[in-house]
Amino acid sequence: MRKHIGQALRILTKVFTDGTYSNMAFYGENVSDMATRLVYGVLEENVKIDYILAQLLEKKPKNSIYYLLKIGVYALCNLTDVPKFAIVSECVETCKAIGKGGASGFVNAVLKKVADGKYSLPSEKDENYLSVTYSKPQWFIDKMIAQYGKDVTLAMLQEPVRDSEHIRVNSRLATCQDVEFLLKKSKTPYEKSEVGGYIVRATDAVGRMFDKGLVTYQSPSSMLAVVALGASDGETLLDVCSAPGGKAVYMSELCPHSHITACDIHEHRVALIQKYKNRMHVPNVKAIKADGTVFDENMCERFDGVLVDAPCSCFGTYKKHPDVFLTRTDESEEDISKTQFAIISNVAKYVKKGGEMVYSTCTLFKEENEDIVQEFLESEIGKEFSLEKISGLKDVDGGKYVDNDGMIQILPHAEYDGFYIAKLRRAK
């Protein structure tokens, strides 16, 4: 157990102290499944863990000790197959192993209190009940209830975190039958999704298929943003803010004879698009460096369809990336929304007369979604556009999005990320 705790502590230090995204914090690390569980467990229950520790600490200790306590609290509350005394003991020994032996008695005393249940949690009548119970910031709970109502918010919070991934087949290299054969051969359980992909565990067998480009990881919500564009094969298409390139590559498979330009603002992000398209053997996507907020005369009215997957607060992906609440706050939306409006207002000029544009985000709040689209429609260039009904959604989520006015909001559930999608058409 000590090895797992030490590995988890190393990863969490990267996340909490260095601000590294959780998925990237694992790069180059040889980490056990248990350590991975501890890392994501702490991140998913961070608010609840802080609430418990606040009752037991007079003063918050320095980083490494506090992160070690977080691991201990999570383990004591969730690892039913490991004796509590063993968890406490191994955390104490880890404290010594990292050169913090002077704090080992403190760690022992705090975690023994947790093991003995010497703390309380809010009751249902308390204002912070949902925040602590579901371990989400209070501002997030309040904002969700204000926009969606308590019942919808509660249903979303009660959705379990799944340890599965969604993959789609690279139609250039394989068929669904090919992939199903390989999944069965490797004894990898799978479930077909509503968008033609598969829900699987990220096993070694799936990893090998990914490396060969036979499949790729892509959420159904992300795929639907491409479907919403409704591009026809042979059209000239643009994917703005494209990195790492999943939507552009999917677009290229739906429209194999189209010319697709995928752009992003930084060289290293353009390199990610290039790497993605190379792995998927894509010939018709050109990756370029371009700032979506800066007008490029060479792109003016050049594209039949434009996909604007705008930078956003990413709150719709919190089930996969629970550390989003560490890097984003309620206040961060204001600066992001300014950038979003600047991008959509600029790239709208790249759409041909009569062409289509999709604006999408992987977030939940109207300040980055409906408000941006409405503000755009009231702008000078936006007056040339109108919302157009999104088609191709009949088999998605029981058809709940079929009757739309050109905008849909997907809340995070099952294999779906939280996603907002709006489709607009420019007048001829």
Side-chain angles (χ1 to χ4, degrees):
M1 189 68 188
R2 192 179 315 166
K3 177 187 74 173
H4 309 310
I5 293 171
Q7 291 174 353
L9 180 59
R10 191 167 65 247
I11 299 298
L12 286 169
T13 299
K14 290 183 183 181
V15 175
F16 284 119
T17 300
D18 303 334
T20 306
Y21 291 118
S22 57
N23 57 329
M24 297 183 69
F26 284 93
Y27 288 174
E29 297 278 358
N30 185 15
V31 177
S32 67
D33 289 344
M34 174 58 78
T36 301
R37 179 181 176 185
L38 291 173
V39 169
Y40 280 105
V42 168
L43 294 175
E44 287 162 6
E45 298 196 4
N46 189 53
V47 171
K48 183 177 180 179
I49 291 169
D50 282 344
Y51 182 85
I52 291 172
L53 285 173
Q55 300 173 54
L56 306 176
L57 301 174
E58 291 184 9
K59 182 180 178 182
K60 185 176 175 180
K62 290 188 176 180
N63 290 348
S64 58
I65 301 302
Y66 192 57
Y67 307 155
L68 181 58
L69 289 175
K70 283 176 180 278
I71 294 170
V73 173
Y74 172 79
L76 288 167
C77 294
N78 294 277
L79 301 186
T80 56
D81 53 343
V82 182
K84 292 184 184 296
F85 75 85
I87 293 172
V88 175
S89 175
E90 293 303 293
C91 285
V92 169
E93 293 305 312
T94 300
C95 184
K96 296 175 183 178
I98 62 173
K100 303 290 185 181
S104 60
F106 169 74
V107 169
N108 183 65
V110 173
L111 292 183
K112 275 190 172 180
K113 290 180 181 177
V114 177
D116 293 339
K118 293 182 178 178
Y119 62 88
S120 62
L121 294 173
S123 66
E124 289 191 39
K125 65 182 180 181
D126 293 325
E127 184 180 1
N128 60 350
Y129 173 74
L130 292 180
S131 173
V132 175
T133 301
Y134 297 101
S135 203
K136 300 294 178 289
Q138 187 64 50
W139 69 260
F140 179 78
I141 300 293
D142 293 341
K143 195 162 188 174
M144 284 296 300
I145 291 175
Q147 183 164 330
Y148 295 103
K150 188 170 184 178
D151 289 345
V152 172
T153 299
L154 188 58
M156 187 191 74
L157 293 172
Q158 290 175 337
E159 273 281 328
V161 176
R162 297 164 64 119
D163 60 357
S164 56
E165 299 282 351
H166 185 268
I167 59 173
R168 68 170 185 82
V169 179
N170 180 359
S171 59
R172 286 191 170 91
L173 301 183
T175 65
C176 290
Q177 290 77 13
D178 294 332
V179 169
E180 289 179 22
F181 172 80
L182 292 172
L183 290 171
K184 290 174 182 175
K185 184 178 179 181
S186 64
K187 298 182 179 178
T188 302
Y190 67 88
E191 176 186 345
K192 289 186 178 181
S193 73
E194 297 172 327
V195 294
Y198 298 91
I199 303 163
V200 298
R201 292 284 302 276
T203 62
D204 290 341
V206 173
R208 287 191 292 271
M209 286 191 281
F210 175 87
D211 291 340
K212 292 177 181 178
L214 301 178
V215 301
T216 195
Y217 297 106
Q218 188 166 18
S219 78
S221 304
S222 172
M223 294 172 65
L224 291 175
V226 178
V227 170
L229 188 61
S232 298
D233 195 14
E235 290 184 331
T236 303
L237 306 172
L238 174 66
D239 182 19
V240 183
C241 311
S242 181
K247 295 181 183 67
V249 167
Y250 184 42
M251 197 184 298
S252 80
E253 291 178 47
L254 296 178
C255 302
H257 301 99
S258 290
H259 296 285
I260 299 164
T261 301
C263 64
D264 216 290
I265 190 170
H266 298 298
E267 289 286 0
H268 73 277
R269 293 182 66 78
V270 176
L272 290 175
I273 303 170
Q274 191 67 42
K275 182 179 179 181
Y276 200 124
K277 78 185 205 63
N278 289 345
R279 180 177 61 82
M280 298 288 281
H281 298 266
V282 173
N284 61 329
V285 171
K286 180 180 180 181
I288 65 169
K289 179 183 175 183
D291 186 341
T293 66
V294 178
F295 180 67
D296 184 343
E297 183 67 39
N298 294 322
M299 292 189 179
C300 188
E301 297 189 13
R302 176 183 159 192
F303 298 96
D304 299 292
V306 173
L307 175 58
V308 184
D309 189 47
C312 68
S313 58
C314 303
F315 290 127
T317 66
Y318 73 81
K319 288 191 178 294
K320 291 180 182 175
H321 306 289
D323 51 316
V324 67
F325 296 111
L326 303 179
T327 56
R328 304 289 193 188
T329 65
D330 189 15
E331 289 76 19
S332 65
E333 286 189 321
E334 184 175 347
D335 288 338
I336 293 173
S337 63
K338 290 178 182 177
T339 301
Q340 292 166 335
F341 181 72
I343 291 172
I344 189 174
S345 300
N346 179 56
V347 301
K349 301 167 189 172
Y350 302 161
V351 182
K352 291 179 181 178
K353 305 289 187 183
E356 300 160 320
M357 177 170 64
V358 160
Y359 173 84
S360 66
T361 72
C362 57
T363 196
L364 304 171
F365 300 118
K366 61 186 182 63
E367 289 87 345
E368 298 179 61
N369 297 334
E370 297 100 313
D371 288 357
I372 297 295
V373 171
Q374 188 57 45
E375 184 181 3
F376 166 72
L377 289 171
E378 293 171 0
S379 67
E380 183 177 355
I381 181 66
K383 290 176 182 177
E384 298 182 32
F385 287 78
S386 59
L387 287 164
E388 180 171 283
K389 183 177 180 178
I390 302 170
S391 58
L393 304 176
K394 181 170 66 73
D395 298 323
V396 177
D397 255 6
K400 70 167 67 171
Y401 309 113
V402 170
D403 295 323
N404 66 81
D405 59 358
M407 299 186 288
I408 64 170
Q409 176 70 62
I410 303 170
L411 295 180
H413 67 287
E415 66 268 28
Y416 291 91
D417 289 334
F419 237 80
Y420 170 81
I421 304 171
K423 181 177 181 179
L424 303 114
R425 183 176 292 278
R426 190 172 189 179
K428 293 184 179 180

